[in-house]
Amino acid sequence: MPKLQGFEFWSRTLGGARHVVAPMVDQSELAWRLLSRRHGAQLCYTPMLHAQVFVRDANYRKENLYCDVCPEDRPLIVQFCANDPEVFVQAALLAQDYCDAIDLNLGCPQMIAKRGHYGAFLQEEWDLLQRMILLAHERLSVPVTCKIRVFPEIDKTVRYAQMLEKAGCQLLTVHGRTKEQKGPMAGTASWEHIKAVRKAVGIPVFANGNIQCLQDVERCIQDTGVQGVMSAEGNLHNPALFEGRSPAVWELAEEYLDIVRQHPCPLSYVRAHLFKLWHHTLQVHQQLREELAKVKTLEGVAAVSQALKLRCQEDMSRQQEGVRPADNLPAFHWICQPYIRPGPREGSKENSGGRSKRALEEEEGSMEGLSKNKLKKQLRNPHKTFDPSLKPKYAKCDQCGNPKGNRCVFNLCRGCCKKRAFRETADCPGHGLLFKTKLEKSLAWKGTQPGLQEAQQVRPVTPSGFSEVVGSALA
């Protein structure tokens, strides 16, 4: 079958999908995709996979894709992060038989993407991206797509999208935020950027950003002219978003847990999903929040979810007619509803005085007590201390600066000690290195073997011969 492209690919292979579940690390696993498809999602993406790890690690391929094959889970797009054309294509070739398209992640704004040099941190390297997309377009049997973030300038964003289209991208997802817009600084996604891209390219475009309910989906399609709308945060808090429903939280939580029993996934994924689903309820019943964080089994998670359900039903029975939901929520806490991420504190930039976030947190912690993360660590380990004056002081290695061994005869760390002990054929009992002792034992043993003694007399010991003796002693 010839490879379909552009709008033909979108309409025939993807079924003209308009409601799309975003690729989410540790969150868009098979069980969650199946739940979302039951409630109106027409297309799903896998979590972002690391192309280099996918190529070299068979277990990684098995755990993240090959074992998740399910006839109900189609159409499906596999997303990779990569910064090397050959590695990207090798990973895509290993995945193409299990999906309907391969997506290149050009939108991840997190620090791990900056350190790994992928995601949104490639958006200035147009030559590299052209080579990656072109090579994938030429060698894959399925289309290649891209998910991008915008530049502050609309015209640059448009030129960026046109470059990707020219290189061979067959479908483009545009997240209407810049790579700097994340966390508390996320702000509102720009649909104007998305609209401009849609008008400028000849391939299908999906919009991403500001999607909290079905009305947002319809308004986005109408305002921007895109072919489909992708949801991440909104989908996590209400998987029935694309149905236009806001059911009771326990309804979807129980359905999800049933799917997980059929299609197992790591418990950390399940726990994270329930924290999202029950987010508003856990603000009310905080004791159960701690219970959910501590449980170690799927049945334990299900038991906490059941306890939350009972608490909610009790709250419902006590609810008086005409009372509005607390905390300005659009609905009562037991109803699936969007979570509005709080913005940065007023005046935080002005009052920071140019100090780093970590410095401010440490200062705040010292004045008002420990931060939430430190309190959690202390809950797991009551003996843990965060007082810098109580932390042990380590003497440094004379050569590399790493902590030295307390009983090292050379006052070095293990790595430097091993090199020196081998070079000088010496012992360091503190690090358990016995080069000298093993060599002496080897020579003593050879002295008891007549045949070996004669051979040694005939053949003089050379530097290479000495290395062989040391090697046998080490063995």
Side-chain angles (χ1 to χ4, degrees):
M1 232 182 122
K3 181 166 64 175
L4 301 180
Q5 299 183 13
F7 280 94
E8 192 177 15
F9 158 66
W10 172 69
S11 60
R12 291 177 59 183
T13 304
L14 303 185
R18 290 160 58 92
H19 301 158
V20 186
V21 174
M24 297 174 283
V25 174
D26 297 345
Q27 297 281 263
S28 58
E29 83 286 356
L30 175 61
W32 189 259
R33 298 197 299 265
L34 293 176
L35 175 70
S36 300
R37 290 180 191 276
R38 290 183 184 182
H39 295 283
Q42 298 163 336
L43 170 66
C44 293
Y45 284 64
T46 66
M48 181 194 76
L49 304 177
H50 199 294
Q52 194 169 38
V53 181
F54 197 85
V55 169
R56 73 167 185 255
D57 192 336
N59 284 332
Y60 184 80
R61 296 195 292 270
K62 182 178 177 182
E63 292 168 3
N64 290 280
L65 184 61
Y66 295 172
C67 285
D68 283 351
V69 175
C70 179
E72 303 166 42
D73 189 33
R74 299 297 280 267
L76 177 70
I77 296 180
V78 172
Q79 187 187 69
F80 286 108
C81 68
N83 56 23
D84 181 278
E86 283 295 337
V87 173
F88 174 52
V89 171
Q90 287 174 29
L93 288 169
L94 290 167
Q96 65 179 0
D97 293 338
Y98 300 85
C99 62
D100 299 286
I102 298 294
D103 186 79
L104 177 61
N105 182 336
L106 300 175
C108 181
Q110 303 304 328
M111 184 55 66
I112 191 171
K114 184 176 183 179
R115 289 197 297 266
H117 193 55
Y118 60 80
F121 297 93
L122 295 178
Q123 66 179 177
E124 297 285 358
E125 301 187 32
W126 291 17
D127 288 341
L128 171 63
L129 295 180
Q130 278 182 314
R131 287 188 284 116
M132 291 176 74
I133 299 299
L134 181 61
L135 189 64
H137 178 58
E138 290 174 347
R139 293 180 56 185
L140 298 182
S141 62
V142 296
V144 60
T145 69
C146 296
K147 184 173 186 291
I148 66 171
R149 284 196 170 223
V150 300
F151 290 95
E153 307 84 7
I154 290 181
D155 63 328
K156 187 173 182 180
T157 303
V158 167
R159 287 186 283 111
Y160 182 42
Q162 289 173 330
M163 177 273 294
L164 294 172
E165 178 190 14
K166 186 177 179 181
C169 176
Q170 301 303 316
L171 184 149
L172 196 60
T173 300
V174 183
H175 188 158
R177 293 183 175 92
T178 65
K179 71 175 185 294
E180 290 75 27
Q181 288 180 275
K182 58 183 179 179
M185 306 299 294
T188 304
S190 169
W191 287 359
E192 287 301 314
H193 283 72
I194 299 173
K195 182 179 180 180
V197 169
R198 174 66 202 99
K199 286 183 176 180
V201 299
I203 55 176
V205 174
F206 291 159
N208 184 210
N210 304 344
I211 305 301
Q212 301 287 358
C213 60
L214 187 61
Q215 289 75 19
D216 291 338
V217 174
E218 293 165 350
R219 186 164 57 88
C220 182
I221 292 175
Q222 183 177 357
D223 290 357
T224 63
V226 293
Q227 280 61 51
V229 171
M230 177 182 284
S231 175
E233 196 83 11
N235 167 262
L236 290 175
H237 287 274
N238 180 12
L241 178 152
F242 290 128
E243 286 184 319
R245 290 196 311 125
S246 294
V249 174
W250 61 80
E251 177 187 326
L252 293 177
E254 290 172 355
E255 186 177 359
Y256 171 65
L257 289 170
D258 286 341
I259 297 173
V260 170
R261 291 185 183 98
Q262 299 171 35
H263 302 280
C265 64
L267 188 66
S268 59
Y269 298 5
V270 181
R271 196 197 316 272
H273 280 304
L274 291 193
F275 268 121
K276 293 283 188 183
L277 289 172
W278 286 112
H279 174 82
H280 298 292
T281 298
L282 290 170
Q283 308 307 307
V284 178
H285 301 289
Q286 294 193 8
Q287 182 183 358
L288 290 173
R289 181 185 186 88
E290 296 298 326
E291 291 296 320
L292 183 57
K294 289 179 182 177
V295 290
K296 304 292 185 184
T297 64
L298 181 61
E299 294 313 313
V301 170
V304 175
S305 185
Q306 181 65 21
L308 284 163
K309 174 183 176 180
L310 295 175
R311 296 284 183 92
C312 288
Q313 290 174 339
E314 290 172 6
D315 293 345
M316 290 171 64
S317 65
R318 291 194 297 265
Q319 186 64 50
Q320 296 180 359
E321 192 173 345
V323 176
R324 300 280 302 166
D327 300 324
N328 296 318
L329 293 177
F332 291 105
H333 65 79
W334 54 81
I335 300 297
C336 287
Q337 58 193 292
Y339 166 66
I340 308 300
R341 190 186 296 273
R345 293 179 182 176
E346 285 293 327
S348 61
K349 286 186 179 179
E350 292 79 0
N351 297 332
S352 67
R355 288 167 292 175
S356 69
K357 179 181 174 184
R358 182 177 294 276
L360 288 170
E361 285 178 351
E362 288 175 355
E363 183 178 321
E364 183 180 350
S366 63
M367 291 186 296
E368 302 178 8
L370 297 176
S371 66
K372 286 184 178 180
N373 281 338
K374 289 180 178 178
L375 285 171
K376 286 179 184 176
K377 290 178 181 177
Q378 202 167 54
L379 187 65
R380 292 194 294 268
N381 181 8
H383 301 293
K384 190 171 184 64
T385 177
F386 297 98
D387 186 350
S389 63
L390 298 178
K391 289 186 176 179
K393 306 296 183 186
Y394 295 105
K396 293 183 178 179
C397 170
D398 293 343
Q399 290 187 5
C400 69
N402 287 328
K404 73 172 185 177
N406 291 331
R407 295 182 294 171
C408 178
V409 297
F410 301 117
N411 290 320
L412 302 174
C413 67
R414 180 176 175 79
C416 296
C417 176
K418 188 174 183 179
K419 291 175 184 176
R420 181 168 173 180
F422 179 78
R423 186 171 62 248
E424 299 181 6
T425 318
D427 289 348
C428 178
H431 281 126
L433 302 173
L434 304 173
F435 293 107
K436 181 180 178 182
T437 301
K438 289 183 177 180
L439 177 60
E440 289 173 350
K441 286 183 178 180
S442 175
L443 293 174
W445 177 81
K446 287 186 177 181
T448 63
Q449 306 297 317
L452 288 175
Q453 222 170 6
E454 291 173 7
Q456 288 292 339
Q457 290 172 359
V458 172
R459 188 184 61 176
V461 177
T462 62
S464 61
F466 178 74
S467 299
E468 291 174 10
V469 172
V470 173
S472 65
L474 291 177

